[in-house]
């Protein structure tokens, strides 16, 4: 088959559903909209936007994505919008709720699933194989009565008996399923094994030519990408992926890895990626790691900080002589910034706009651009060299702050007495009334052993919202003493979990541990960057508080919706 004749692989992105099931991750509706917009721009075909029956918040997010992102074609090479998909158990009430959420999208899909492995049937569902077939068929028929595009997943297919799988899948094809997804739910399979399952099912399921076969691989053995590619060679034409490979436990197949494997080996695979814009990869990876608070390990393929770094002298010498000696992908192909000096305090609007376009950011409104420009100027004043990484951090900062303004930071002053104590005075504004927005100014001071602790304590004294801190993370965006400091603060609403009696403090344990001890409690993240790391911390704290306040306001309004006429 010539390159031109190859079908494009269908990328089904589940960052906002399976990805959001990562421990400790919760995204606001606005954050989900921002990620969805970026995925659309990159060319993703199907977006699994959430699990609408799971919560009111999930329903609203899926509906908002269906309505606002569903129709978009901007940046999409094929000119057609993404299909917006929702997940539903094989239960009519779930399926109906799912359809109501995706309804506004021009292209929509219901994804329904039911376990098929003996271990799940016996211990989890407590049903027989016959009952399993009946339920699967009924669910698919009902979904098809609502929507033309229906995907069915036999959960734990990787450990299900192949002949039984063929029987279930033949029955759901008959019932109207249009895509069959084969999940290795627990990340158990090896590439050979997964390919053999896929091949067997395609060859032995009656009606298999009427549907698209799909992969869904978890990464418990670190084999998710290898299994996915093996599945493609065996006949799958859709791959289910997440950005940065986030997801349940060890995560899912990483989009960027599959995409770049197909890009790097165009003749090895029976599918193409002509519909994808790989230059958006780095940007979307950064956005997802910032908004989820899940940092990317530095040696992660394609998007890790070291993915294009050459440390040894021999390698550096080789790359300088000829890039391809040690680089199989040019960093700019995936939109990785060059790390060169880009702009300074004399750079104007045009230079900034042109540079952002080079980084794949061409979609800002005039208002958004103006705000980025003003922040860029402030940074350029205090920092000699503004790097691409700084610009990216600044953009992510802007995204993570959009629309959240119950609290505003006005001023921070800190006095430290060498190693013994620090006193911080913090002035803030709090929203007094929403329409029109009016603010009250407050100021308080606190003393603590360290400056960050003093700032957070001074802030805490002024906020009536009950909350406590479960995570604090700080890193330099670029190297050097003038690097922008990027801070993430994680707060929980005290009503949701056990309050920390010494709140607020900087936890000494790794953030992930604390999140796990508070299972069930929702964690609200705030991020901010600033040349002054103390100020970045105060801003991040305020951003996290704004998320709690917004969540509270939304719950109140949803209660009002329910009691309305
Ligand atoms: O891993 C899994 O089995 C899933 C299904 C819901 C497709 O995520
Ligand atoms: Zn999964």
């Amino acid at each position: 088959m010539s390159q031109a004749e190859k079908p494009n692989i269908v990328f089904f992105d589940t960052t906002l559903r399976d990805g959001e099931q990562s421990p400790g991750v919760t995204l606001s509706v606005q954050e989900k909209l921002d990620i969805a917009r970026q995925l659309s721009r990159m060319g993703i075909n199907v977006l699994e936007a959430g699990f609408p029956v799971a919560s009111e918040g999930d329903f609203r997010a899926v509906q908002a994505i269906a309505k606002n992102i569903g129709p978009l074609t901007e940046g999409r090479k094929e000119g057609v919008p993404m299909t917006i998909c929702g997940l539903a158990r094989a239960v009519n009430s779930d399926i109906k709720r799912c359809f109501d959420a995706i309804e506004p999208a021009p292209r929509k899909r219901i994804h329904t699933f039911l376990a098929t492995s003996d271990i799940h049937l016996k211990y989890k569902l407590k049903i027989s194989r016959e009952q399993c077939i009946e339920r699967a068929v009924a669910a698919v028929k009902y979904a098809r009565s609502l929507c033309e595009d229906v995907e069915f997943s036999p959960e734990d297919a990787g450990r299900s008996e192949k002949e039984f799988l063929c029987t279930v899948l033949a029955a759901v094809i008959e019932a109207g399923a249009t895509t069959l997804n084969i999940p290795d739910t627990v990340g158990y399979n090896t590439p050979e094994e997964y390919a053999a399952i896929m091949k067997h099912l395609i060859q032995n399921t009656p009606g298999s030519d009427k549907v698209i076969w799909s992969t869904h691989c978890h990464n418990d053995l670190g084999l998710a990408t290898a299994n996915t590619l093996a599945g493609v060679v065996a006949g799958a034409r859709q791959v289910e992926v997440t950005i940065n490979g986030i997801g349940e436990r060890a995560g899912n197949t990483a989009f960027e890895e599959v995409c770049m494997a197909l890009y790097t080996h165009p003749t090895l695979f029976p599918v193409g990626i002509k519909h994808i814009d790989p230059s958006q990869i780095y940007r979307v990876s950064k956005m997802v790691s910032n908004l989820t608070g899940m940092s990317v390990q530095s040696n992660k393929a394609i998007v890790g900080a070291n993915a294009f770094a050459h440390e040894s002298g021999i390698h550096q010498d080789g790359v300088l002589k000829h890039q391809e000696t040690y680089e199989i992908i040019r960093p700019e192909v995936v939109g990785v910034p060059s790390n060169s000096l880009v702009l300074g305090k004399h750079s104007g609007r045009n230079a900034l706009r042109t540079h952002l376009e080079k980084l794949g950011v061409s979609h800002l409104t005039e208002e958004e651009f103006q705000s980025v420009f003003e922040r860029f100027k402030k940074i350029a004043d205090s920092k000699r060299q503004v790097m691409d990484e700084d610009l990216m951090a600044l953009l992510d900062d802007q995204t993570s702050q959009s629309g959240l303004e119950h609290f505003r930071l006005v001023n921070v002053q800190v006095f430290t007495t060498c190693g013994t104590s620090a006193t911080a005075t913090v002035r803030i504004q709090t929203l007094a009334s929403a329409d029109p927005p009016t603010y009250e100014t407050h100021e308080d001071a606190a003393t603590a052993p360290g400056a960050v602790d003093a700032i957070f304590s001074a802030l805490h004294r002024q906020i009536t919202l009950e909350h406590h801190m479960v995570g604090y993370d700080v890193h330099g965006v670029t190297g050097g003493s003038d690097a922008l400091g990027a801070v993430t603060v994680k707060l929980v609403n005290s009503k949701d979990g056990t309050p920390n009696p010494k709140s607020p403090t900087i936890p000494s344990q790794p953030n992930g541990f604390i999140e796990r001890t508070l299972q069930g409690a929702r964690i609200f993240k705030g991020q901010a960057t600033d040349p002054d790391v103390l100020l970045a911390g105060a801003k991040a704290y305020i951003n996290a508080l704004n998320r709690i306040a917004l969540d509270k306001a939304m719950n109140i309004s949803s209660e009002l919706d329910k009691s309305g006429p």
Side-chain angles (χ1 to χ4, degrees):
M1 193 191 307
S2 77
Q3 293 299 321
E5 288 165 30
K6 276 186 187 176
N8 281 335
I9 189 79
V10 174
F11 276 111
F12 175 112
D13 184 283
T14 182
T15 305
L16 299 181
R17 198 277 299 169
D18 215 324
E20 215 217 7
Q21 287 173 220
S22 306
V25 170
T26 32
L27 294 164
S28 69
V29 175
Q30 186 56 49
E31 289 169 335
K32 288 183 182 177
L33 282 167
D34 290 336
I35 292 173
R37 183 172 287 111
Q38 187 61 27
L39 292 172
S40 168
R41 231 178 250 135
M42 192 164 64
I44 291 298
N45 306 79
V46 185
L47 176 74
E48 188 163 54
F51 190 7
V53 84
S55 69
E56 180 65 26
D58 252 51
F59 179 87
R60 283 177 184 231
V62 175
Q63 197 178 44
I65 289 171
K67 201 164 152 197
N68 299 293
I69 311 297
L72 301 183
T73 53
E74 186 227 316
R76 295 179 64 77
K77 295 188 188 172
E78 289 176 329
V80 283
M82 281 195 296
T83 296
I84 307 299
C85 172
L87 184 69
R89 286 171 302 182
V91 176
N92 283 5
S93 49
D94 273 35
I95 294 171
K96 177 68 172 65
R97 189 83 176 135
C98 173
F99 183 70
D100 290 345
I102 60 175
E103 240 255 275
R107 294 161 80 100
K108 42 194 162 268
R109 173 181 298 184
I110 296 173
H111 177 193
T112 185
F113 71 101
L114 185 66
T116 47
S117 63
D118 287 336
I119 188 166
H120 277 236
L121 293 186
K122 184 171 173 195
Y123 294 105
K124 187 181 82 172
L125 298 175
K126 300 186 193 335
I127 57 171
S128 65
R129 285 187 171 186
E130 289 65 37
Q131 287 170 310
C132 170
I133 299 172
E134 265 171 41
R135 265 200 210 174
V137 167
V140 169
K141 275 195 182 152
Y142 180 58
R144 266 309 294 263
S145 73
L146 302 170
C147 185
E148 279 184 0
D149 189 346
V150 173
E151 173 169 328
F152 176 77
S153 290
E155 191 191 7
D156 204 18
R159 294 188 301 168
S160 300
E161 202 227 348
K162 287 202 205 69
E163 294 322 312
F164 177 57
L165 269 181
C166 288
T167 312
V168 178
L169 296 176
V172 296
I173 294 174
E174 188 74 26
T178 46
T179 297
L180 294 184
N181 179 42
I182 308 303
D184 177 15
T185 303
V186 290
Y188 171 76
N189 297 139
T190 61
E192 290 72 20
E193 198 180 11
Y194 188 73
I197 296 172
M198 185 65 77
K199 200 164 166 195
H200 182 91
L201 297 178
I202 296 176
Q203 282 176 354
N204 296 289
T205 304
S208 82
D209 56 326
K210 294 193 201 130
V211 292
I212 293 192
W213 292 82
S214 167
T215 66
H216 181 108
C217 301
H218 280 268
N219 203 30
D220 299 64
L221 295 175
L223 293 171
T225 298
N227 288 353
T228 298
L229 293 171
V232 169
V233 173
R237 292 295 171 264
Q238 171 177 290
V239 288
E240 301 204 350
V241 290
T242 61
I243 302 300
N244 300 337
I246 65 170
E248 281 275 358
R249 305 179 311 279
N252 287 64
T253 307
F255 163 78
E256 60 278 8
E257 294 175 8
V258 175
C259 178
M260 293 316 289
L262 297 176
Y263 177 96
T264 310
H265 294 285
T267 55
L268 271 191
F269 296 96
V271 292
I273 55 154
K274 289 187 292 289
H275 55 315
I276 297 292
D277 175 1
S279 73
Q280 299 292 326
I281 287 178
Y282 185 72
R283 169 117 187 80
V284 72
S285 160
K286 278 281 190 202
M287 181 184 254
V288 168
S289 73
N290 286 338
L291 296 182
T292 57
M294 288 186 72
S295 37
V296 172
Q297 76 196 55
S298 19
N299 61 333
K300 164 83 179 63
I302 316 296
V303 290
N306 295 348
F308 298 97
H310 304 282
E311 178 69 20
S312 94
I314 297 174
H315 286 211
Q316 287 177 350
D317 180 55
V319 170
L320 285 174
K321 287 179 175 145
H322 194 293
Q323 208 170 3
E324 281 174 30
T325 50
Y326 288 100
E327 258 176 21
I328 59 163
I329 299 164
R330 275 178 295 118
E332 57 271 27
V333 170
V334 293
V336 167
S338 61
N339 201 20
S340 57
L341 166 65
V342 291
L343 298 165
K345 65 176 176 185
H346 300 298
S347 310
R349 277 189 173 68
N350 260 348
L352 179 65
R353 201 185 296 276
T354 313
H355 205 84
L356 288 173
E357 274 165 18
K358 213 183 81 194
L359 293 173
V361 182
S362 51
H363 50 271
L364 299 180
T365 62
E366 259 322 299
E367 201 184 324
E368 286 166 341
F369 177 77
Q370 182 57 26
S371 149
V372 171
F373 182 70
E374 280 163 19
R375 298 205 57 216
F376 156 72
K377 277 291 189 191
K378 269 197 201 148
I379 290 168
D381 263 346
S382 63
K383 197 173 183 299
R384 288 185 303 278
Q385 307 178 334
V386 181
M387 311 290 199
D388 287 346
E389 282 91 338
D390 297 325
L391 291 179
M392 299 294 248
L394 203 147
L395 286 165
D396 287 336
D397 226 15
Q398 162 134 336
T399 307
S400 70
Q401 286 168 33
S402 42
L404 309 167
E405 283 272 281
H406 284 250
F407 303 102
R408 289 169 169 173
L409 186 68
V410 181
N411 193 31
V412 177
Q413 271 186 326
V414 186
F415 297 97
T416 56
T417 32
C418 231
T420 50
S421 72
T423 301
T425 307
V426 180
R427 188 177 308 154
I428 62 168
Q429 287 183 329
T430 57
L431 190 65
S433 82
D435 198 13
T438 49
Y439 287 85
E440 279 168 1
T441 303
H442 306 267
E443 186 174 293
D444 210 334
T447 300
V452 176
D453 209 356
I455 292 173
F456 289 174
S457 297
L459 266 168
H460 192 253
R461 295 161 77 115
Q462 304 178 60
I463 307 290
T464 49
L465 263 183
E466 288 176 58
H467 68 279
H468 61 277
M469 184 182 288
V470 292
Y472 169 84
D473 178 68
V474 57
H475 72 270
V477 173
T478 53
S481 60
D482 65 348
L484 285 188
V487 177
T488 304
V489 165
K490 293 183 180 179
L491 302 179
V492 292
N493 186 333
S494 298
K495 289 194 185 118
D496 285 352
T498 318
N500 178 344
K502 290 214 257 96
S503 171
T505 54
I506 301 165
S508 50
Q509 301 99 321
N511 299 343
F513 171 69
I514 290 190
E515 283 163 11
R516 250 173 268 135
T517 64
L518 289 166
Q519 243 174 10
R522 281 170 317 142
I523 292 168
F524 296 84
K525 296 177 312 291
Q527 274 118 10
T529 47
D530 196 278
D532 178 343
V533 77
L534 294 179
L535 207 51
K539 287 183 191 169
Y541 194 121
I542 288 281
N543 288 344
L545 284 170
N546 274 323
R547 289 219 161 80
I548 299 184
L550 192 72
D551 180 72
K552 202 171 155 200
M554 273 173 55
N555 285 340
I556 291 168
S557 66
S558 85
E559 286 310 312
L560 291 177
D561 286 354
K562 277 185 223 148
S563 60

